[in-house]
Amino acid sequence: MSSTDSETLGENPETPFHDLDHYLAIPRVSGLALSPDGRRLVTTVATLNAKGTEYGTALWELDPEGRKQARRITRSAKGEAGAVFAASGDLYFTSARPDPETPDADPVNALWMLPVDGGEARVVLTRAGGVSGLLAAKDTGALFVNASVLAGSTDEDSDEERRKARKDNKVAAILHSGYPVRYWDADLGPAQPRLFAVEPGPDPEPGKPATVDAAAPLKLRNLTPDAGSGLRDADAVVSPDGATIYTSFSKPLARADSRSVLVAIDVATGTRRVLLDTEGMSYFPGPVSPDNRTLVVVSESETTPASAPQVKLHLLDVSGGVPGAGSALTPLAHDWDRWPRPAAWLPDGSAVLATADEDGASPVFRISVGADRGTGQVVRLTPDDSAYTDVVVAPDGKTAYALRSSYEFPAEAVRIDLAGGVVRLPAPAERPRYQGSLERVETTAADGTRVPAYLALPEGATAGNPAPLLLWIHGGPLGSWNAWTWRWNPWLLVARGYAVLLPDPALSTGYGQHHIQRGWGEWGKAPFTDLMAITDAVVQRPDIDETRTAAMGGSFGGYMANWVAGQTGRFKAIVTHASLWALDQFGPTTDAAQYWLKEMTADMALENSPHLHVENISTPMLVIHGDKDYRVPIGEGLRLWYELLSKSQLAADANGETEHRFLYFPDENHWILQPQHAKVWYGVVEHFLARNLLDKDLPVPAELGL
């Protein structure tokens, strides 16, 4: 999928999906922040650098009324992210770009501020360990940051000294006394996250002449000095009055287990109190009501080999002081058979806006909150088949803003009329054009359950010219094909003439708890038979070529690709990325073994483990894995590769030759994030598919040096 011949001659490709360099250059939008007065809307846009080797981010301002063109408001080589408006209207963000005031200092991820009245952004706070997440109280000037501290540090000066000593002595060793020790692609420790209040500091040179824009430096006050590792991967919100931070907090349990409890941190004193702590349940904070009296709470039940998790919303009365552990929860929309993600309250406190996966989409819903704070009515506000994120509400309560995507377009900012209607706002970039069509298809499983899917078809697919079919299996497995994805984008292969099938089998979200429970603990049963059923239905179409099909998947989708390979020889090729192979090996070595080992018993893991069926595999497989993948450790890919070459029906011959292939990335993780590696990924996938489905020998990317 390198540059086309036409482009070599100076012509543009038909669409960005016909050339990977053009595809990688499509700007990527993420995040949304709305100013307190509702007049400014800011998003983050990632663009590819001139060398095509990495993405840089910048903040862009959008017109909430949709009249003015989007405009870029920051620019630097290091990029900017995490935009948050303070109550004053000043815009805060983080960036590792050099501070003009201290150009010789090593850049760290510092806190920057862009004044409400305009002008240059300036550093307002920097520290050796950098800062990350920002929180701002909606009604006051209170500002908070998440920042890491070396566990043995006593204050900021001590932390800086310890970091310098480790760096100068080139020490990377970490001594652990608890679990987990890794997360996705990060080695945990020795630094631990803390929540800090950002406050005015002393003037270092009082009375010294300066310009009128001079301001005293800011300082940090550690609100959670004794948090240990409790705030790792925590969700936190701040009350509108800035008096209280509510956050999930990891509670260690016996046998290296843990769960999340809900705590409240009094900003004035730093006192931390546990609000909700129930065996077998984890709690996470949602938004706080405009009057500071009610907190939305998300609960997630602990998984067992017999029961899938259940996600529910609640209301917690936090008026009259912070309640203690065991406070009563009021159910909110518990009859709604979806997994909601609360986003924001309406300004009058009458309802909460939330998103949830639903039948191939992720719409915005309004959940009414009555005078009794009881279970509310759920009303869908966005009728289209799109996925919405980053929902924020205008001060008048009549309008909301969000990012919206679907398989027809990447994330874009929209205005939602809460009385009905969605309008796309002028964007930093135009929608990329693709060729082909998208259909919603479905079939019925043997137990009568509906199995839905999206089908992306190339132009020109007809009964006289049927398209080869690629079955794409999503990861998770608790997820859904319902939003634009950069990593698994069907239009790249549709541009090459393939049809791409995107099913939501058992275990997928958006179809009710029963659809999840059907496949729970039995990955090789209903999820597999659902996938085969929808494939059977689609290959009956005259515009699909049943004789040329392949299966592909990543993570859980990779697991399922491995399972498919050992159960059926119907496919001409199988691509398995970051995949689970030997479940007894995977369980204790993944970064979240405490979760996985509660999901299946040892017997269940073996019963559903693909590695026990390697002798049945007669299909050429392309194995892809990154060495920095801690969620599905590289041992899964290495063992899969060896056993394919030593035990499958396409094992290496006397000359060491095999039809299988292994694409290995020493410095990538669960995802392939570096642009040029993504280009290699797609190039090798296209080569492998063409070789086995089309009987074509396309060249592999030249960058592989082969």
Side-chain angles (χ1 to χ4, degrees), residues 502-528:
L502 305 160
D504 278 348
L507 291 174
S508 300
T509 53
Y511 305 92
Q513 192 72 23
H514 173 68
H515 199 63
I516 298 169
Q517 190 63 46
R518 286 177 63 237
W520 193 255
E522 297 182 326
W523 288 6
K525 294 185 180 178
F528 168 69

Side-chain angles (χ1 to χ4, degrees), residues 24-347:
L24 293 172
I26 299 172
R28 306 179 178 194
V29 175
S30 63
L32 206 59
L34 182 67
S35 63
D37 61 8
R39 296 180 179 179
R40 301 180 65 196
L41 194 62
V42 170
T43 190
T44 302
V45 180
T47 53
L48 193 64
N49 67 7
K51 293 182 178 179
T53 55
E54 62 181 356
Y55 289 97
T57 56
L59 302 183
W60 283 68
E61 186 167 338
L62 311 176
D63 179 14
E65 296 183 0
R67 298 173 182 173
K68 301 177 182 177
Q69 182 55 270
R71 66 185 184 96
R72 185 172 182 166
I73 57 175
T74 65
R75 187 182 300 271
S76 75
K78 292 293 184 179
E80 299 82 27
V84 169
F85 280 101
S88 62
D90 292 334
L91 180 66
Y92 289 85
F93 59 90
T94 61
S95 178
R97 64 186 186 180
D99 180 1
E101 301 295 328
T102 56
D104 297 329
D106 291 336
V108 295
N109 209 40
L111 182 63
W112 291 68
M113 188 267 286
L114 193 59
V116 61
D117 295 328
E120 290 278 354
R122 63 181 178 88
V123 175
V124 293
L125 187 138
T126 187
R127 59 187 299 274
V131 299
S132 52
L134 309 180
L135 291 172
K138 189 173 183 180
D139 298 336
T140 69
L143 187 68
F144 308 90
V145 299
N146 188 307
S148 65
V149 172
L150 292 178
S153 302
T154 56
D155 56 29
E156 287 290 272
D157 290 338
S158 169
D159 187 63
E160 184 171 359
E161 291 173 4
R162 289 171 182 268
R163 291 179 184 276
K164 186 176 186 302
R166 283 178 64 86
K167 180 179 179 180
D168 290 348
N169 291 288
K170 300 186 185 302
V171 173
I174 304 168
L175 178 63
H176 291 283
S177 60
Y179 191 84
V181 300
R182 310 197 296 182
Y183 186 69
W184 287 113
D185 63 349
D187 294 302
L188 301 181
Q192 299 173 336
R194 300 285 186 266
L195 289 170
F196 292 86
V198 181
E199 299 175 339
D203 189 338
E205 298 178 300
K208 187 175 182 179
T211 58
V212 294
D213 67 338
L218 298 176
K219 67 175 184 178
L220 296 179
R221 178 166 58 90
N222 195 337
L223 299 175
T224 55
D226 61 343
S229 60
L231 290 171
R232 282 179 179 157
D233 196 37
D235 296 331
V237 299
V238 61
S239 58
D241 61 9
T244 310
I245 294 176
Y246 302 96
T247 180
S248 57
F249 198 90
S250 181
K251 178 179 180 177
L253 303 173
R255 301 181 183 276
D257 198 2
S258 63
R259 57 182 167 81
S260 291
V261 301
L262 185 69
V263 304
I265 301 168
D266 183 89
V267 171
T269 65
T271 303
R272 184 173 73 248
R273 296 184 64 186
V274 177
L275 303 183
L276 297 169
D277 180 357
T278 305
E279 185 176 353
M281 194 72 68
S282 285
Y283 297 102
F284 307 91
V288 184
S289 62
D291 62 6
N292 302 285
R293 298 171 59 89
T294 307
L295 174 70
V296 178
V297 175
V298 181
S299 69
E300 181 176 337
S301 62
E302 185 176 277
T303 64
T304 72
S307 300
Q310 296 197 37
V311 178
K312 297 291 185 182
L313 292 185
H314 314 260
L315 298 175
L316 180 65
D317 187 346
V318 292
S319 62
V322 177
S327 302
L329 286 171
T330 301
L332 180 63
H334 277 203
D335 292 335
W336 186 29
D337 194 13
R338 293 292 182 269
W339 284 8
R341 297 176 290 270
W345 285 79
L346 295 189

Side-chain angles (χ1 to χ4, degrees), residues 377-397:
Q377 180 186 16
V378 179
V379 177
R380 180 170 174 168
L381 299 178
T382 54
D384 55 326
D385 292 331
S386 299
Y388 289 79
T389 63
D390 301 274
V391 180
V392 292
V393 179
D396 62 7

Side-chain angles (χ1 to χ4, degrees), residues 290-462:
D291 62 6
N292 302 285
R293 298 171 59 89
T294 307
L295 174 70
V296 178
V297 175
V298 181
S299 69
E300 181 176 337
S301 62
E302 185 176 277
T303 64
T304 72
S307 300
Q310 296 197 37
V311 178
K312 297 291 185 182
L313 292 185
H314 314 260
L315 298 175
L316 180 65
D317 187 346
V318 292
S319 62
V322 177
S327 302
L329 286 171
T330 301
L332 180 63
H334 277 203
D335 292 335
W336 186 29
D337 194 13
R338 293 292 182 269
W339 284 8
R341 297 176 290 270
W345 285 79
L346 295 189
D348 63 1
S350 64
V352 172
L353 299 188
T355 61
D357 291 350
E358 179 163 272
D359 200 1
S362 187
V364 178
F365 299 88
R366 180 177 59 235
I367 307 173
S368 62
V369 178
D372 60 353
R373 299 297 195 197
T375 300
Q377 180 186 16
V378 179
V379 177
R380 180 170 174 168
L381 299 178
T382 54
D384 55 326
D385 292 331
S386 299
Y388 289 79
T389 63
D390 301 274
V391 180
V392 292
V393 179
D396 62 7
K398 298 178 181 179
T399 304
Y401 302 92
L403 295 184
R404 173 184 70 176
S405 77
S406 77
Y407 281 106
E408 296 181 310
F409 49 84
E412 59 186 24
V414 297
R415 183 178 67 248
I416 305 169
D417 185 339
L418 298 183
V422 180
V423 177
R424 179 176 182 250
L425 297 177
E430 293 302 316
R431 285 182 180 179
R433 185 175 60 87
Y434 65 87
Q435 288 181 352
S437 60
L438 187 69
E439 297 182 15
R440 191 72 168 151
V441 296
E442 64 179 65
T443 193
T444 302
D447 64 359
T449 301
R450 171 174 167 259
V451 182
Y454 283 106
L455 178 63
L457 287 164
E459 283 189 346
T462 64

